[in-house]
Amino acid sequence: MIKNRPTIRDHSAEANLFARRAFVGFVFVVLLIGVLLNNIYTLQVEKHETYQTRSNDNRIKVIPIAPNRGLIYDRNGVLLAENRPVYNLEVIPEQVTDLEQSLEQLGAIISITDTQKNAIIKSNRRSRRFKSQVLKARLNEQEVAIFSVNQHRFPGFSVEARLARHYPYGDALTHALGYVSRLNKKELSELESQGLAKNYRATHDFGKLGIEKFYEQRLHGQVGSQRVEVNNRGRIIRSLSIEHPKPGEDLVLTLDIGLQKIAQEVLEGVRGAIVVMDPKDGGILALYSNPSYDPNLFVHGISSKDYRALLNPDRPLINRATQGRYAPASTVKPHLAILALEEGIVKEETKIWDPGFFQIPNVEHRWRDWLRWGHGHVDVYEAIEQSCDTYFYETAYKLGITKISNFMSQFGFGDLSGIDIHEETAAIMPTTEWKRQRFKESWWPGDTISVGIGQGYWTATPMQITNAVSILVNKGIHRPPHLVQVAKQDNDVEQMYTEEKPPVVLKNPHHWKIALDAMHNTVKKARGTAHKAFLGATYDPAGKTGTAQIVSIAQGEEYDAESLKEKHRDNGIYVGFAPYNDPRIVVTVIVENQGGGSTIAAPIARKLMDYYFETYPSHTEGK
Amino acid sequence: MNQLRQRRSFWQRIHIDLPLLIALLVMMAGSLAVVYSASGQNMDMMARHATRMLGAIIALFVMAQISPNTLKRLVFPLYTVGLIMLIGVFFFGITINGAKRWLDIGITRFQPSEIMKLGVPMMVAWYIGRQQLPPKILHIFIGFAIVLVPTILIQKQPDLGTSLLIASSGIFVLFLSGLSWRLIGSSVLLAIPGAFAMWHFVMHEYQKQRVLTLLDPESDPLGAGYHIIQSKIAIGSGGIEGKGWLHGTQSQLEFLPERHTDFIFSVLSEEFGLLGVVMLLSVYLFIIGRGLYIAVNAQEAFSKLLAGALTLTFFVYIFVNIGMVSGLLPVVGVPLPLISYGGTSMVTLMAGFGIIMAIATDKKMLLK
């Protein structure tokens, strides 16, 4: 290597070469630093806002806060649905080192079911570990105390107070108020399609029945939110700002809880329904269906055992007041009398001979009157007062189904009453067309005759019967029934009027008075069917009894040999109003399978009216 | 005048280049501040970091005392020992996190590749420095071979970052020695099919992934792209003035991964903004300028080439690290020199600056 060195090293040339190369190197360094700076400048200056936003998106999370559900009061300000604090044992899985071991130790001091444990372990395996999960709902005071003493042993576990719906009157109001229960997936997807899901981000409960369901949007309120700073694992570091939720609207009902409780009391032990309505504004004062059940069972999730108990043959889940389809029976005789008068089939003074039965000319079949030996010669007053069937067999036969159907539809039969709960059926106001579709059969004249006394194919709900009589006492003005009077939020009070429906207009308004007077006589006159029930009343009542052969209230009911006998007994109906000359209430009572309207239903209506006029004595006197 | 000479001779006597030392100490002070923030005010980590810094400064002082002549005699044994150890790693190395980089030498575990960070440029500088400059083709090939063998061994560990740094330190020697531009040009042309071959035959799947992620980090925001996205968010959200020391949300709330090591530049950018970045780069530029100045003024070819190559390699660290965290380059595990938390690389780096200082204060240079 050494021997063949061709030239002597030129040190200054080498130094120059090196210096040039070092300079080139330095220029490269400066250029590349320029490249770096240019890139940093782009990020920090030109795209600063974008990255600022993304940085905030990283660290700022918005936690929704559920609004407090609106409260529900009766007409006198008595609280019917409230929000009560309940204490839940909750856990944030992220903060627990050994979840299964902690659950084991916790199980030693507070009873925790395996289902509850597994639910937490399962949800822990999915995401959202930093979110608080309910381990055990509704701790009792003792459990809260035991846990609080031992809390230091269980980091990540805590007792949290939440508001939960509570119904202090329990089963007295279930069918009217309904209840809330856990918001489920189906409801959530429905809310999504309506664009309301955002408002439910923090909400646990959802109205499932009655007022709670119908007024869900008003009761719910507006979701609030809290902006918090979180770290990369989602743990909350601090709160940045809070937008408070807006509580739901409070509702004041037209119900009178006192009257409602009487309704429950008087139906004790029987199946039936009661509707009390104020004909002046359509407000429902009482709406009760028996048997009932405790709505509080549903709030925290009903056990399958409790739920099965509700599926008994008495069908407590059905709201008989609005879903029960009963033959209206003789309670529709006043309306039918008006129609007969209007159509000129009878006059006020026309008397019809009742031998105890009715026969269509040239037909063998006899339609029997309830009074085997007949009522003799009866005019329209006596026919209603004594509930003479033959009178109405004959007028109905002469009117025909189409006229009856058209006229009675104006009183709301065969249609939803429009009451502000969703659990309602339209029942059936039969027509020839209806029968053809339903049974593929034509309408026989005999079908009309049963309809003439509110039976046959004709069914109605207690709500419809009440509403029809309310229209009657209002002489045609149709104020549909409603349960909510006022919605309140802060200082805003909104009157919840129900719009009037088209009135029933008579050619001769005097016919109203004939029907109403006849109902008055039913109570006043000694031969009247409700005379005995209202003896000695301090107010001036009027009404109409009814006794219906059985029409099953539900389809597909099981054949039950034990109860067969009872179920074949008549349904008793009474619909009445008082005071006669300035009606303040219309009362409908239906009692299933306990016999006639005058012996069972009318005395119950009497008790309700007695209570009402004791409570509101100024309403006793008419105009 | 007399006093000035007196003082100057003191620093000369202990072989320290004062401007370079001050710049390095400024960087270390800055490092303490940023690591304090990035570690979440972890005092244990701060203590360890400060201890390592002290060790690094001692290494600098020790290396500064070795004259280039003495160093030349150490080059061959150092390189040979390093090479043997790398081969040892290949057969008996300890695997941590899937990489076989460590050798257990009884007392402690250690990375032989750290030796080669100095060993390779020294060996190439020594070999090329013996020849007349510019070097002949044969010498260039031998020089390349000196670089290539350890580079491949380290690449196989795998440690792409270190192998790149070591390769570039050797190549810088060749460049500074006056490698003809024609050769440089043709190797760049060769690099294109070379890169193609690298992609298909050499690179590991995770390394390919890093490159792909670089091209489109948003394609996998929660996976491989997460690091780059979060880092860019940190840098970008810092703006001109930054969010303030200890107030970087990306770092303090732990959205930024590896924030006290490889991604510490993002922390600095977030908390001190563009102003902080400019200051950092200015000090870096000063150190590089000073290093090249020393190289140009060195007496011997070996000293020139070594000082120049070490200085330019220092810049490669900076460029690769900042380029990587700001999304210009793929994620390659290279720390930000003098700033990142982490032991050995800082010691090696400061030892390198010790060598540069030894060159700066070499007696022959003073004679000039």
Side-chain angles (χ1 to χ4, degrees), chain A residues 437-461:
Chain A
Q437 283 192 351
R438 177 77 176 73
F439 295 107
K440 310 262 184 295
E441 265 182 50
S442 45
W443 189 271
W444 307 110
D447 296 336
T448 314
I449 290 163
S450 303
V451 166
I453 59 159
Q455 304 219 32
Y457 294 120
W458 190 356
T459 60
T461 67

PDB file of all heavy atoms in Angstrom, chain A residues 437-461:
ATOM      1  N   GLN A 437    -118.796  -6.745   5.604  1.00  0.00           N
ATOM      2  CA  GLN A 437    -117.340  -6.930   5.646  1.00  0.00           C
ATOM      3  C   GLN A 437    -116.920  -7.894   6.743  1.00  0.00           C
ATOM      4  O   GLN A 437    -116.036  -8.719   6.558  1.00  0.00           O
ATOM      5  CB  GLN A 437    -116.647  -5.587   5.874  1.00  0.00           C
ATOM      6  CG  GLN A 437    -116.610  -4.750   4.612  1.00  0.00           C
ATOM      7  CD  GLN A 437    -115.690  -3.571   4.721  1.00  0.00           C
ATOM      8  OE1 GLN A 437    -115.187  -3.274   5.799  1.00  0.00           O
ATOM      9  NE2 GLN A 437    -115.472  -2.902   3.610  1.00  0.00           N
ATOM     10  N   ARG A 438    -117.581  -7.773   7.869  1.00  0.00           N
ATOM     11  CA  ARG A 438    -117.167  -8.547   9.041  1.00  0.00           C
ATOM     12  C   ARG A 438    -117.604 -10.003   8.927  1.00  0.00           C
ATOM     13  O   ARG A 438    -116.839 -10.910   9.227  1.00  0.00           O
ATOM     14  CB  ARG A 438    -117.760  -7.888  10.289  1.00  0.00           C
ATOM     15  CG  ARG A 438    -117.507  -8.575  11.596  1.00  0.00           C
ATOM     16  CD  ARG A 438    -116.089  -8.321  12.104  1.00  0.00           C
ATOM     17  NE  ARG A 438    -115.905  -8.914  13.414  1.00  0.00           N
ATOM     18  CZ  ARG A 438    -115.786 -10.222  13.643  1.00  0.00           C
ATOM     19  NH1 ARG A 438    -115.845 -11.063  12.640  1.00  0.00           N
ATOM     20  NH2 ARG A 438    -115.625 -10.687  14.864  1.00  0.00           N
ATOM     21  N   PHE A 439    -118.850 -10.213   8.515  1.00  0.00           N
ATOM     22  CA  PHE A 439    -119.399 -11.583   8.525  1.00  0.00           C
ATOM     23  C   PHE A 439    -119.744 -12.095   7.140  1.00  0.00           C
ATOM     24  O   PHE A 439    -120.228 -13.213   7.005  1.00  0.00           O
ATOM     25  CB  PHE A 439    -120.664 -11.637   9.402  1.00  0.00           C
ATOM     26  CG  PHE A 439    -120.396 -11.367  10.857  1.00  0.00           C
ATOM     27  CD1 PHE A 439    -120.768 -10.161  11.439  1.00  0.00           C
ATOM     28  CD2 PHE A 439    -119.760 -12.318  11.649  1.00  0.00           C
ATOM     29  CE1 PHE A 439    -120.529  -9.917  12.772  1.00  0.00           C
ATOM     30  CE2 PHE A 439    -119.524 -12.067  12.992  1.00  0.00           C
ATOM     31  CZ  PHE A 439    -119.901 -10.867  13.552  1.00  0.00           C
ATOM     32  N   LYS A 440    -119.546 -11.284   6.105  1.00  0.00           N
ATOM     33  CA  LYS A 440    -119.932 -11.656   4.741  1.00  0.00           C
ATOM     34  C   LYS A 440    -121.412 -12.046   4.691  1.00  0.00           C
ATOM     35  O   LYS A 440    -121.804 -13.023   4.063  1.00  0.00           O
ATOM     36  CB  LYS A 440    -119.074 -12.855   4.249  1.00  0.00           C
ATOM     37  CG  LYS A 440    -117.577 -12.671   4.438  1.00  0.00           C
ATOM     38  CD  LYS A 440    -116.925 -12.198   3.145  1.00  0.00           C
ATOM     39  CE  LYS A 440    -115.422 -12.082   3.253  1.00  0.00           C
ATOM     40  NZ  LYS A 440    -114.960 -11.040   4.201  1.00  0.00           N
ATOM     41  N   GLU A 441    -122.207 -11.302   5.404  1.00  0.00           N
ATOM     42  CA  GLU A 441    -123.647 -11.583   5.454  1.00  0.00           C
ATOM     43  C   GLU A 441    -124.391 -10.266   5.306  1.00  0.00           C
ATOM     44  O   GLU A 441    -123.867  -9.218   5.668  1.00  0.00           O
ATOM     45  CB  GLU A 441    -124.016 -12.146   6.833  1.00  0.00           C
ATOM     46  CG  GLU A 441    -124.062 -13.657   6.907  1.00  0.00           C
ATOM     47  CD  GLU A 441    -124.490 -14.105   8.288  1.00  0.00           C
ATOM     48  OE1 GLU A 441    -125.511 -13.590   8.787  1.00  0.00           O
ATOM     49  OE2 GLU A 441    -123.777 -14.945   8.876  1.00  0.00           O
ATOM     50  N   SER A 442    -125.616 -10.350   4.810  1.00  0.00           N
ATOM     51  CA  SER A 442    -126.371  -9.099   4.721  1.00  0.00           C
ATOM     52  C   SER A 442    -127.096  -8.848   6.039  1.00  0.00           C
ATOM     53  O   SER A 442    -127.182  -9.712   6.909  1.00  0.00           O
ATOM     54  CB  SER A 442    -127.340  -9.134   3.554  1.00  0.00           C
ATOM     55  OG  SER A 442    -128.010 -10.366   3.557  1.00  0.00           O
ATOM     56  N   TRP A 443    -127.545  -7.653   6.198  1.00  0.00           N
ATOM     57  CA  TRP A 443    -128.194  -7.208   7.423  1.00  0.00           C
ATOM     58  C   TRP A 443    -129.641  -7.651   7.446  1.00  0.00           C
ATOM     59  O   TRP A 443    -130.387  -7.388   6.516  1.00  0.00           O
ATOM     60  CB  TRP A 443    -128.093  -5.673   7.497  1.00  0.00           C
ATOM     61  CG  TRP A 443    -128.549  -5.134   8.824  1.00  0.00           C
ATOM     62  CD1 TRP A 443    -129.828  -4.781   9.140  1.00  0.00           C
ATOM     63  CD2 TRP A 443    -127.757  -4.906   9.977  1.00  0.00           C
ATOM     64  NE1 TRP A 443    -129.895  -4.353  10.425  1.00  0.00           N
ATOM     65  CE2 TRP A 443    -128.608  -4.415  10.976  1.00  0.00           C
ATOM     66  CE3 TRP A 443    -126.408  -5.091  10.259  1.00  0.00           C
ATOM     67  CZ2 TRP A 443    -128.156  -4.080  12.242  1.00  0.00           C
ATOM     68  CZ3 TRP A 443    -125.976  -4.743  11.528  1.00  0.00           C
ATOM     69  CH2 TRP A 443    -126.836  -4.255  12.507  1.00  0.00           C
ATOM     70  N   TRP A 444    -130.028  -8.352   8.505  1.00  0.00           N
ATOM     71  CA  TRP A 444    -131.430  -8.771   8.641  1.00  0.00           C
ATOM     72  C   TRP A 444    -132.188  -7.756   9.466  1.00  0.00           C
ATOM     73  O   TRP A 444    -131.604  -7.156  10.376  1.00  0.00           O
ATOM     74  CB  TRP A 444    -131.528 -10.153   9.304  1.00  0.00           C
ATOM     75  CG  TRP A 444    -130.697 -11.195   8.614  1.00  0.00           C
ATOM     76  CD1 TRP A 444    -129.580 -11.776   9.089  1.00  0.00           C
ATOM     77  CD2 TRP A 444    -130.912 -11.728   7.333  1.00  0.00           C
ATOM     78  NE1 TRP A 444    -129.064 -12.661   8.197  1.00  0.00           N
ATOM     79  CE2 TRP A 444    -129.873 -12.652   7.085  1.00  0.00           C
ATOM     80  CE3 TRP A 444    -131.895 -11.528   6.323  1.00  0.00           C
ATOM     81  CZ2 TRP A 444    -129.779 -13.379   5.900  1.00  0.00           C
ATOM     82  CZ3 TRP A 444    -131.799 -12.261   5.160  1.00  0.00           C
ATOM     83  CH2 TRP A 444    -130.738 -13.168   4.953  1.00  0.00           C
ATOM     84  N   PRO A 445    -133.476  -7.616   9.196  1.00  0.00           N
ATOM     85  CA  PRO A 445    -134.270  -6.674  10.018  1.00  0.00           C
ATOM     86  C   PRO A 445    -134.190  -7.023  11.499  1.00  0.00           C
ATOM     87  O   PRO A 445    -134.185  -6.137  12.355  1.00  0.00           O
ATOM     88  CB  PRO A 445    -135.692  -6.863   9.491  1.00  0.00           C
ATOM     89  CG  PRO A 445    -135.514  -7.395   8.101  1.00  0.00           C
ATOM     90  CD  PRO A 445    -134.248  -8.221   8.121  1.00  0.00           C
ATOM     91  N   GLY A 446    -134.065  -8.306  11.788  1.00  0.00           N
ATOM     92  CA  GLY A 446    -133.980  -8.722  13.192  1.00  0.00           C
ATOM     93  C   GLY A 446    -132.757  -8.151  13.879  1.00  0.00           C
ATOM     94  O   GLY A 446    -132.765  -7.878  15.078  1.00  0.00           O
ATOM     95  N   ASP A 447    -131.677  -7.956  13.113  1.00  0.00           N
ATOM     96  CA  ASP A 447    -130.460  -7.370  13.688  1.00  0.00           C
ATOM     97  C   ASP A 447    -130.739  -5.969  14.215  1.00  0.00           C
ATOM     98  O   ASP A 447    -130.223  -5.565  15.255  1.00  0.00           O
ATOM     99  CB  ASP A 447    -129.365  -7.284  12.620  1.00  0.00           C
ATOM    100  CG  ASP A 447    -128.933  -8.658  12.122  1.00  0.00           C
ATOM    101  OD1 ASP A 447    -129.116  -9.639  12.891  1.00  0.00           O
ATOM    102  OD2 ASP A 447    -128.417  -8.745  11.002  1.00  0.00           O
ATOM    103  N   THR A 448    -131.605  -5.243  13.482  1.00  0.00           N
ATOM    104  CA  THR A 448    -131.920  -3.866  13.868  1.00  0.00           C
ATOM    105  C   THR A 448    -132.672  -3.838  15.194  1.00  0.00           C
ATOM    106  O   THR A 448    -132.494  -2.921  15.993  1.00  0.00           O
ATOM    107  CB  THR A 448    -132.784  -3.196  12.780  1.00  0.00           C
ATOM    108  OG1 THR A 448    -132.188  -3.481  11.512  1.00  0.00           O
ATOM    109  CG2 THR A 448    -132.873  -1.707  12.979  1.00  0.00           C
ATOM    110  N   ILE A 449    -133.477  -4.830  15.400  1.00  0.00           N
ATOM    111  CA  ILE A 449    -134.326  -4.823  16.599  1.00  0.00           C
ATOM    112  C   ILE A 449    -133.476  -4.920  17.868  1.00  0.00           C
ATOM    113  O   ILE A 449    -133.709  -4.200  18.836  1.00  0.00           O
ATOM    114  CB  ILE A 449    -135.378  -5.943  16.488  1.00  0.00           C
ATOM    115  CG1 ILE A 449    -136.348  -5.511  15.379  1.00  0.00           C
ATOM    116  CG2 ILE A 449    -136.094  -6.174  17.803  1.00  0.00           C
ATOM    117  CD1 ILE A 449    -137.206  -6.610  14.829  1.00  0.00           C
ATOM    118  N   SER A 450    -132.434  -5.769  17.848  1.00  0.00           N
ATOM    119  CA  SER A 450    -131.519  -5.848  18.997  1.00  0.00           C
ATOM    120  C   SER A 450    -130.799  -4.530  19.190  1.00  0.00           C
ATOM    121  O   SER A 450    -130.605  -4.058  20.317  1.00  0.00           O
ATOM    122  CB  SER A 450    -130.469  -6.937  18.780  1.00  0.00           C
ATOM    123  OG  SER A 450    -131.110  -8.162  18.562  1.00  0.00           O
ATOM    124  N   VAL A 451    -130.374  -3.922  18.078  1.00  0.00           N
ATOM    125  CA  VAL A 451    -129.691  -2.646  18.152  1.00  0.00           C
ATOM    126  C   VAL A 451    -130.592  -1.592  18.807  1.00  0.00           C
ATOM    127  O   VAL A 451    -130.112  -0.729  19.534  1.00  0.00           O
ATOM    128  CB  VAL A 451    -129.246  -2.194  16.731  1.00  0.00           C
ATOM    129  CG1 VAL A 451    -128.834  -0.734  16.715  1.00  0.00           C
ATOM    130  CG2 VAL A 451    -128.099  -3.075  16.243  1.00  0.00           C
ATOM    131  N   GLY A 452    -131.902  -1.732  18.605  1.00  0.00           N
ATOM    132  CA  GLY A 452    -132.871  -0.793  19.174  1.00  0.00           C
ATOM    133  C   GLY A 452    -132.813  -0.715  20.681  1.00  0.00           C
ATOM    134  O   GLY A 452    -133.208   0.299  21.277  1.00  0.00           O
ATOM    135  N   ILE A 453    -132.325  -1.753  21.347  1.00  0.00           N
ATOM    136  CA  ILE A 453    -132.171  -1.663  22.809  1.00  0.00           C
ATOM    137  C   ILE A 453    -130.681  -1.726  23.198  1.00  0.00           C
ATOM    138  O   ILE A 453    -130.306  -2.161  24.285  1.00  0.00           O
ATOM    139  CB  ILE A 453    -132.967  -2.762  23.552  1.00  0.00           C
ATOM    140  CG1 ILE A 453    -132.505  -4.156  23.105  1.00  0.00           C
ATOM    141  CG2 ILE A 453    -134.461  -2.572  23.345  1.00  0.00           C
ATOM    142  CD1 ILE A 453    -132.859  -5.255  24.113  1.00  0.00           C
ATOM    143  N   GLY A 454    -129.829  -1.276  22.274  1.00  0.00           N
ATOM    144  CA  GLY A 454    -128.394  -1.165  22.596  1.00  0.00           C
ATOM    145  C   GLY A 454    -127.696  -2.497  22.738  1.00  0.00           C
ATOM    146  O   GLY A 454    -126.742  -2.634  23.491  1.00  0.00           O
ATOM    147  N   GLN A 455    -128.188  -3.506  21.988  1.00  0.00           N
ATOM    148  CA  GLN A 455    -127.518  -4.805  22.056  1.00  0.00           C
ATOM    149  C   GLN A 455    -127.204  -5.285  20.659  1.00  0.00           C
ATOM    150  O   GLN A 455    -126.994  -4.484  19.753  1.00  0.00           O
ATOM    151  CB  GLN A 455    -128.390  -5.790  22.837  1.00  0.00           C
ATOM    152  CG  GLN A 455    -128.718  -5.259  24.227  1.00  0.00           C
ATOM    153  CD  GLN A 455    -128.708  -6.322  25.298  1.00  0.00           C
ATOM    154  OE1 GLN A 455    -127.953  -7.284  25.245  1.00  0.00           O
ATOM    155  NE2 GLN A 455    -129.566  -6.136  26.293  1.00  0.00           N
ATOM    156  N   GLY A 456    -127.140  -6.596  20.482  1.00  0.00           N
ATOM    157  CA  GLY A 456    -126.784  -7.125  19.174  1.00  0.00           C
ATOM    158  C   GLY A 456    -125.334  -6.836  18.864  1.00  0.00           C
ATOM    159  O   GLY A 456    -124.457  -7.030  19.709  1.00  0.00           O
ATOM    160  N   TYR A 457    -125.124  -6.304  17.666  1.00  0.00           N
ATOM    161  CA  TYR A 457    -123.743  -6.061  17.252  1.00  0.00           C
ATOM    162  C   TYR A 457    -123.153  -4.786  17.864  1.00  0.00           C
ATOM    163  O   TYR A 457    -121.981  -4.515  17.753  1.00  0.00           O
ATOM    164  CB  TYR A 457    -123.673  -5.944  15.719  1.00  0.00           C
ATOM    165  CG  TYR A 457    -124.007  -7.232  15.015  1.00  0.00           C
ATOM    166  CD1 TYR A 457    -125.070  -7.307  14.127  1.00  0.00           C
ATOM    167  CD2 TYR A 457    -123.240  -8.381  15.250  1.00  0.00           C
ATOM    168  CE1 TYR A 457    -125.375  -8.483  13.474  1.00  0.00           C
ATOM    169  CE2 TYR A 457    -123.539  -9.563  14.594  1.00  0.00           C
ATOM    170  CZ  TYR A 457    -124.605  -9.615  13.718  1.00  0.00           C
ATOM    171  OH  TYR A 457    -124.895 -10.794  13.079  1.00  0.00           O
ATOM    172  N   TRP A 458    -123.995  -4.002  18.462  1.00  0.00           N
ATOM    173  CA  TRP A 458    -123.567  -2.695  18.952  1.00  0.00           C
ATOM    174  C   TRP A 458    -122.736  -2.834  20.226  1.00  0.00           C
ATOM    175  O   TRP A 458    -123.183  -3.422  21.196  1.00  0.00           O
ATOM    176  CB  TRP A 458    -124.802  -1.832  19.214  1.00  0.00           C
ATOM    177  CG  TRP A 458    -124.515  -0.373  19.506  1.00  0.00           C
ATOM    178  CD1 TRP A 458    -123.309   0.209  19.636  1.00  0.00           C
ATOM    179  CD2 TRP A 458    -125.490   0.637  19.698  1.00  0.00           C
ATOM    180  NE1 TRP A 458    -123.450   1.546  19.889  1.00  0.00           N
ATOM    181  CE2 TRP A 458    -124.792   1.841  19.925  1.00  0.00           C
ATOM    182  CE3 TRP A 458    -126.904   0.660  19.692  1.00  0.00           C
ATOM    183  CZ2 TRP A 458    -125.445   3.059  20.165  1.00  0.00           C
ATOM    184  CZ3 TRP A 458    -127.547   1.874  19.921  1.00  0.00           C
ATOM    185  CH2 TRP A 458    -126.812   3.067  20.154  1.00  0.00           C
ATOM    186  N   THR A 459    -121.528  -2.307  20.193  1.00  0.00           N
ATOM    187  CA  THR A 459    -120.738  -2.246  21.428  1.00  0.00           C
ATOM    188  C   THR A 459    -120.232  -0.827  21.613  1.00  0.00           C
ATOM    189  O   THR A 459    -120.097  -0.070  20.647  1.00  0.00           O
ATOM    190  CB  THR A 459    -119.527  -3.189  21.407  1.00  0.00           C
ATOM    191  OG1 THR A 459    -118.686  -2.835  20.320  1.00  0.00           O
ATOM    192  CG2 THR A 459    -119.948  -4.642  21.303  1.00  0.00           C
ATOM    193  N   ALA A 460    -119.950  -0.506  22.893  1.00  0.00           N
ATOM    194  CA  ALA A 460    -119.468   0.842  23.204  1.00  0.00           C
ATOM    195  C   ALA A 460    -118.594   0.767  24.442  1.00  0.00           C
ATOM    196  O   ALA A 460    -118.717  -0.152  25.251  1.00  0.00           O
ATOM    197  CB  ALA A 460    -120.642   1.784  23.453  1.00  0.00           C
ATOM    198  N   THR A 461    -117.725   1.723  24.582  1.00  0.00           N
ATOM    199  CA  THR A 461    -116.903   1.786  25.793  1.00  0.00           C
ATOM    200  C   THR A 461    -117.603   2.679  26.808  1.00  0.00           C
ATOM    201  O   THR A 461    -118.402   3.548  26.422  1.00  0.00           O
ATOM    202  CB  THR A 461    -115.524   2.395  25.489  1.00  0.00           C
ATOM    203  OG1 THR A 461    -115.684   3.763  25.131  1.00  0.00           O
ATOM    204  CG2 THR A 461    -114.826   1.651  24.358  1.00  0.00           C
TER     205      THR A 461
END
